[in-house]
Amino acid sequence: MSVARPTRTRKEPAAPRPGRRSATGKRSASSRSPASRSAAGHRTDLLAAMLRIRRFEERCVELYSAAKIRGFVHLYIGEEAVAVGVNEALTPEDSVVSTYREHGHALARGVTAEAVMAEMYGRTSGCSGGRGGSMHLFDASHRFYGGNAIVAGGIPLAAGLALADRMRGENRVTCCFFGDGAFAEGEFHETANLATLWNLPLLFVCENNRYAMGTALERHEAQTDLAMRAASYGMVAWAVDGMDVEAVERAARRAAEGISNGNGPHFLELRTYRFRAHSMYDPDRYRDKEEVEKWRSRDPIGLLADRMREGGELGDKELERIEQRVTTEVDRAVDAAEQAPEEPVGRLLRHVTSSSAEEG
């Protein structure tokens, strides 16, 4: 197994500079500075956020097996450090565009577990009104502009959001998550070229989990150093250990600061691994069990918990309290989803046809 190799970059990421105001004067880049809390307290928050995603996803497995959740479901188990670490570096004013494996992104962004779970159930209280399901979570109030069932489909949308912010003089970052499979799509390469050409405030986050659906990275990419390839478009790009949430946060924060300071798009290749199959339908016969177990030994939750234990920052009672809080939140989300109403048949044409047809 090859875990994250030493980083290779086109050039070192620019060191953070003093925050500057946008043309509208609405926000300074310096507002990206982390909140004043102790290092131990911050690590506790990171651990709780990753556990929240993990327990949510595990419950989805149970509910899917019980036929309470239907359709395609792509789990985020194993990749929690990416969603949590990157979102820690973003502000509420930034935008996020995701993929079909987006439960973790939505939860880390601040979308409530109840809103996500209700969407999984197809209920009207879901974040997409029950219309999107697992692959199309959306919450404009958190500037979370959706999962996308099309591989690489969200990348040009992210460029549009970034271009709009640049034209309006808004000092925001648009963060776009995508997998290594999307790297092979034309949408990525076209967008990467335009993002650099137009100096867009766009953060490309490639979740390299080594498998595009069921195809190993080395079987679909002649050059597997994706950061080096991205750098060929003239943007700052480097690889990061995607199983280490603190390393992810540091890299994402530095990239976001560089973007906010006018240094153009940045690319992060976060080398991670999904512990479960591509989707709930996938028999997962394309990789060795030994490989999966080796990566499980680098579970991002376990890595951070062990680090905190070694530093005397985490004890059994504290971990138990976090687990209980997270479990209670997920339990309540399931209860709320099961009690939420389904959309009446008479309203199924809403948001599908013209208003006249809907009224008829």
Side-chain angles (χ1 to χ4, degrees), residues 81-92:
V82 174
V84 172
V86 170
N87 274 281
E88 279 293 322
L90 302 177
T91 74

Side-chain angles (χ1 to χ4, degrees), residues 152-231:
I155 299 176
L157 300 180
L161 288 166
L163 177 60
D165 284 338
R166 200 204 71 177
M167 294 176 71
R168 291 171 179 158
E170 300 281 0
N171 192 0
R172 292 171 173 159
V173 169
T174 296
C175 172
C176 183
F177 291 95
F178 55 96
D180 54 286
F183 196 94
E185 297 290 333
E187 288 92 334
F188 166 73
H189 296 280
E190 293 164 356
T191 303
N193 178 61
L194 288 177
T196 302
L197 188 65
W198 294 342
N199 199 42
L200 297 184
L202 185 55
L203 174 57
F204 293 94
V205 177
C206 180
E207 296 181 299
N208 181 4
N209 63 23
R210 302 176 59 81
Y211 287 92
M213 200 168 188
T215 305
L217 179 66
E218 58 270 18
R219 290 180 177 271
H220 70 84
E221 294 293 334
Q223 171 53 263
T224 59
D225 190 331
L226 304 185
M228 183 177 70
R229 290 183 61 193

Side-chain angles (χ1 to χ4, degrees), residues 4-27:
R5 294 170 286 173
T7 60
R8 181 185 298 178
T9 67
R10 180 180 67 86
K11 59 183 179 181
E12 284 299 315
R17 299 187 306 197
R20 62 177 177 83
R21 290 215 170 260
S22 67
T24 60
K26 289 187 177 180
R27 182 166 63 85

Side-chain angles (χ1 to χ4, degrees), residues 53-68:
I53 296 171
R54 178 69 59 89
R55 299 299 175 248
F56 183 96
E57 296 289 67
E58 289 171 345
R59 183 61 63 85
C60 286
V61 175
E62 297 174 9
L63 296 169
Y64 188 92
S65 300
K68 293 186 176 182

Side-chain angles (χ1 to χ4, degrees), residues 1-6 210 240-243 271-272 294-295 297-298:
M1 178 195 68
S2 175
V3 296
R5 294 170 286 173
R210 302 176 59 81
V240 182
D241 180 359
M243 306 302 273
R271 294 170 178 172
T272 184
K294 285 181 180 178
W295 278 92
S297 69
R298 302 200 70 246

